Every structure is written in structure tokens, then in C-alpha cells.
Amino acid sequence: MNDPTLSGPASENSEPASFAENAKNLFKKHKGKILTVGGVVVSVALAAVAIRLAEGQDTEDTEPSPGPVEADRSKRPSPVGHEVAATLVKLAPGQQASEERRAAYKEEKGEDLPAGCTYRSKYRRGDFEENETPGEAAA
């Protein structure tokens, strides 16, 4: 541990050399070995990447596996058809409902749309059979 070659020459004040100075001296002394080891490590890493890529190319006949989003969509069935009820939606401050939404609310409910709200009419969501009505889908 007390190797004088690692600590370097003492400075004028007889204090040991700093860590940075020791690191520079060590690198100068062993530069060839350090660069050789670094080159070997990089070469091995590149070889490992090349092998993985080559293994992936051997499977040309098969389709690539679907990503996480595609896999979830293929497993999930379509939602059953149903009607979504009409609702009032509170708007962010400074926003106001369009004339079209106000007229739809007035026609449906017979009164003016409350301030700070908009109206979402009822609508159908999901898959319906051709001859199926929304009431039959729920039953």
C-alpha cells in the first residue's frame, strides 16, 4: 500500500501528491496496458451485440412478436354495444359552450344550458349487431 511509485514524488512541502497527480502518473506508467484492456472490453461488447443481432436475423420465416400495445389489443374483445347517457360537462374557467351544444340541451331538456357547462348528447359506443337495438345488447 505504501508503494512510493504510486504516491509519486513528494512536493516541495513534503506533502504527498494529490489523487489527480497519482492517477496521471499511474496512467503514464501503464498506458499501454490500460488501452489494451479497454480495447478488449469494447471488442467483446461489440461481438456480443453482433451475435445477438445475428440470432435475431435467423428467424426470417416467423413474424416479429407484437409490441406490448398490439399484444393487448389482440387479446381484448371489442366492447359490447351500449348507449352512453347524455351528460353535463363542467368547462374550464374562461371556456363556454358552443351554440350547437346550447341548442341541443335546450331541445332535449327544454331549458337553458347552465353557465360554465357544456352538453354531451347520448350516443352509441361499442359493437352492435346489425339487427340489434341498444336495449337488446344490455339484456
Side-chain angles (χ1 to χ4, degrees):
M1 287 304 255
N2 294 334
D3 187 5
T5 59
L6 291 179
S7 63
S11 61
E12 296 174 2
N13 304 3
S14 296
E15 293 179 11
S18 70
F19 177 78
E21 290 176 25
N22 287 340
K24 286 178 187 177
N25 291 336
L26 188 63
F27 182 75
K28 285 179 186 177
K29 183 176 179 181
H30 300 286
K31 183 177 182 179
K33 293 176 188 175
I34 293 171
L35 293 177
T36 302
V37 170
V40 169
V41 169
V42 169
S43 298
V44 169
L46 289 175
V49 169
I51 290 170
R52 284 204 153 189
L53 289 175
E55 288 175 353
Q57 293 174 354
D58 290 342
T59 58
E60 291 177 8
D61 299 337
T62 60
E63 290 185 24
S65 62
V69 173
E70 293 174 14
D72 289 345
R73 289 187 183 178
S74 64
K75 294 177 185 175
R76 192 180 325 165
S78 297
V80 177
H82 61 282
E83 287 213 11
V84 178
T87 57
L88 280 177
V89 179
K90 188 173 181 180
L91 295 172
Q95 292 184 337
Q96 54 184 335
S98 67
E99 289 300 321
E100 177 185 335
R101 296 288 81 211
R102 288 182 185 148
Y105 185 79
K106 180 105 175 165
E107 182 180 322
E108 184 81 25
K109 303 292 183 181
E111 55 189 52
D112 289 335
L113 185 65
C117 294
T118 189
Y119 179 67
R120 186 176 295 149
S121 302
K122 68 179 178 177
Y123 60 96
R124 295 172 73 166
R125 169 184 265 168
D127 291 337
F128 286 93
E129 297 290 327
E130 288 182 25
N131 297 330
E132 186 179 349
T133 62
E136 293 173 357

